[in-house]
Amino acid sequence: MSKLWKKYILWFAQEHVDFRLAEFESLSKLFGFKFQHLSDQFLKPFWLVEFPNDETALQFASRSVALRAIFELYAHGQTLHAFHERLRNHVESHPAKVEAHFGANTSFKITVETYNKHFSQREKIDKIETMNYLPLSGPVDLKHPKVEWWYIEFWGLDPTAVPPVPDDILFGRLLAAGQRHLIKDLSLKHRKFIGNTSMDAQLSLLMANQALVAPGDLVFDPFVGTGSLLVSAAKFGGYVMGADIDYMMLHARCRPSRITQKVREKDESIRSNLKQYGCADRYMDVVVADFSNPLWHPRVSFDSIITDPPYGIREATEKVETKVTVKEGTRNSDMAHYPSTSHYALQQLYADLLDFASKHLRIGGRLVCWLPFHREDYSEATLPQHRNLQLVANSEQLLTGQTARRLLTYEKCSQTEPSDWSVPPLHVATPSEDFRDRYFNNCVESRQDRRMRKAEHREQGRLEMQRRGKVPSDSRAKKCDLNKSRFD
Amino acid sequence: MKLSTYNFLTSMAIKGVKVGYPLKLTINKKDVVETEFNPTFVERLLPKLDWSAVYGAAQVAELADDIPAVQPENIAENELLLQKLHHLLFEVDVIEGQLECPETGRVFPIADGIPNMLLNEDEV
């Protein structure tokens, strides 16, 4: 049976390296495809894998955002000699392939890709010439070839220690490109409605893949903001809903985030974002609501929940305050009232989020969310857990030197009936103690200290200059003088 | 707010409210937005809906003639009804209006098509 399996080269973009395997596994589950002999060097941009057929490979390429392109592998080898030997043997032993792809009527193009080492055009052509045993008989067509061959040399990952010979040499036929064009298509730069914490297109597409969003799914984001996660979910065919506590945000009346923009335009909204990308049909609704209170009917079940909860750094974590007494005469019925909000502790928020997911996901549905961490105190044991949810993926993205956030993917594996909802779940939700406080207060020096130190440093420099008899010059005046002297 | 969303919302967060469903809907201004009919999606949504609230919404939206008062069996095979449900649930968009808690009478306003379900400090 395994004789029928074919080998493929997966060429990944070398960013968000930690997310690639999780995406691969998610897509394998989404399409239900099988694979075997996946190469285990996940840091490398080129992976080898065996799929049962080309359709599987195309399915993967049709959704993967991490993938640059996929190739049908002809040969690869650790040394040039071994590589050429294998390629020659492969071509000789597969006459059917030669007929299909090397024929006189098949125009072709060979691309040379060298990773981590630069070669001139001349050197690249020389590399092509080393494969002169290939029975290529069709015409060369650089613009619209029928078949694209790729010759790939991998020269390690470290640009400061390039090995004397390539680590790996690969040759294959281009099958399809990945979905990286979507990153540009959905770029925040050209999106109608964005906010301070809109998720960038690439990560939000990755999240939709982690959530296994399929056409006709109902997808929910309880901290929707400007709907940046809904855009990618809708792009993949999901019907999207959102909720947020921020009335001004959902009505797009908050301050614009673009530096060039003074006021929000009238037609800015999550709906108009979806319209911009041709997904308006899949906009369900957004609701102003406080996540800490129950709102949804017990019957409601979502296919996936994708969300980026506020961590309190750029967006406040808030919920409606619980007050016992209200001052007399502060409110009357015709006055618009905006309830005051109080801090929503991160631990509590995640406990609520997992609990919500356990109630409102279908069995097999996924919760995909970000959790911030101080890197030094991360350990798997501190991840939030819930008896009905199973953690299936966990990828890290560095934020600053000391902080990172992790994309957690949970799958609902069991169900608690609505009648038992009052029973507290057995979850241990103990993410790192208050992330925000430590983020701002636990650095080596406080921001105030740093400012004072910098100011003192500048003052010292100025005094030193004066002591040496140098007159501090105005750089703008200097530039003008220089220009003048050119015309004199 | 679409009427499918109306079907999902409750006022159970209010202190003392047990069920808080269905909310009493008032439509002051509505819009009809044409969207692509996707029978599979409507079918998949059906088990998540409460039929009495579907029918209630149809009455308020003046579409009660299209929707039977009791959920018929085998809706999936009734393409015409699916289309009518699609129109009711996805194409009717409440722009201005309100939702009222059946137990306390608390009103949640709908403005610019977005319902505001926030409660005040002393209500939760």
Side-chain angles (χ1 to χ4, degrees), chain A residues 39-72:
Chain A
S39 58
D40 54 359
Q41 304 204 327
F42 298 123
L43 290 177
K44 282 166 57 168
F46 303 102
W47 299 8
L48 296 181
V49 69
E50 286 184 18
F51 286 135
N53 49 41
D54 281 3
E55 281 77 68
T56 307
L58 292 176
Q59 269 179 338
F60 176 62
S62 74
R63 272 295 284 267
S64 177
V65 187
L67 184 79
R68 281 188 193 281
I70 189 163
F71 309 93
E72 180 192 349

Side-chain angles (χ1 to χ4, degrees), chain A residues 317-347:
Chain A
T317 47
E318 43 181 27
K319 62 176 182 176
V320 171
E321 202 169 2
T322 318
K323 273 190 196 157
V324 187
T325 51
V326 181
K327 261 194 223 159
E328 285 297 316
T330 49
R331 202 182 302 160
N332 62 47
S333 53
D334 10 286
M335 194 161 66
H337 175 71
Y338 300 98
S340 54
T341 52
S342 66
H343 181 56
Y344 193 3
L346 212 53
Q347 290 97 317

Side-chain angles (χ1 to χ4, degrees), chain A residues 217 271 285 288 297 337, chain B residues 2 5 8 44 93 117 120:
Chain A
D217 275 3
R271 189 195 292 242
D285 258 318
V288 183
H297 193 275
H337 175 71
Chain B
K2 302 189 184 202
T5 308
F8 293 164
R44 282 177 65 180
D93 198 5
M117 303 306 289
N120 293 330

Side-chain angles (χ1 to χ4, degrees), chain A residues 216-217 239 251 253 271 281 283-285 287-288 293-297 299-301 303 320-321 337 340, chain B residues 1-2 5 8 10 12-13 21 36 38 41 44 47-49 93 111-112 114-115 117 119-122 124:
Chain A
D217 275 3
Y239 285 74
H251 286 268
R253 302 216 197 115
R271 189 195 292 242
D281 283 350
Y283 171 82
M284 297 282 283
D285 258 318
V287 178
V288 183
N293 289 320
L295 171 73
W296 304 92
H297 193 275
R299 243 176 217 270
V300 178
S301 82
D303 294 295
V320 171
E321 202 169 2
H337 175 71
S340 54
Chain B
M1 183 194 69
K2 302 189 184 202
T5 308
F8 293 164
T10 73
M12 63 166 102
Y21 190 85
E36 192 194 352
N38 180 344
F41 180 63
R44 282 177 65 180
K48 299 170 188 167
L49 299 178
D93 198 5
D112 290 330
I114 301 176
M117 303 306 289
L119 290 167
N120 293 330
E121 299 87 329
D122 50 343
V124 289

Side-chain angles (χ1 to χ4, degrees), chain B residues 1 25-32 92-98 110-113:
Chain B
M1 183 194 69
L25 172 71
T26 313
I27 301 177
N28 295 333
K29 186 178 157 202
K30 67 176 177 186
D31 213 354
V32 176
V92 177
D93 198 5
V94 182
I95 305 294
E96 310 286 337
Q98 64 179 48
I110 304 169
D112 290 330

Side-chain angles (χ1 to χ4, degrees), chain B residues 39-107:
Chain B
T40 11
F41 180 63
V42 182
E43 258 179 70
R44 282 177 65 180
L45 201 69
L46 281 176
K48 299 170 188 167
L49 299 178
D50 180 291
W51 193 269
S52 64
V54 172
Y55 183 65
Q59 282 176 313
V60 181
E62 290 159 359
L63 291 164
D65 297 345
D66 292 346
I67 308 293
V70 183
Q71 179 166 11
E73 281 174 32
N74 299 334
I75 297 187
E77 289 153 28
N78 189 342
E79 171 105 9
L80 190 66
L81 182 58
L82 282 181
Q83 261 176 17
K84 284 175 174 166
L85 278 170
H86 167 79
H87 176 71
L88 175 74
L89 297 171
F90 304 120
E91 298 192 321
V92 177
D93 198 5
V94 182
I95 305 294
E96 310 286 337
Q98 64 179 48
L99 298 166
E100 189 185 316
C101 170
E103 290 165 50
T104 60
R106 163 69 150 92
V107 167

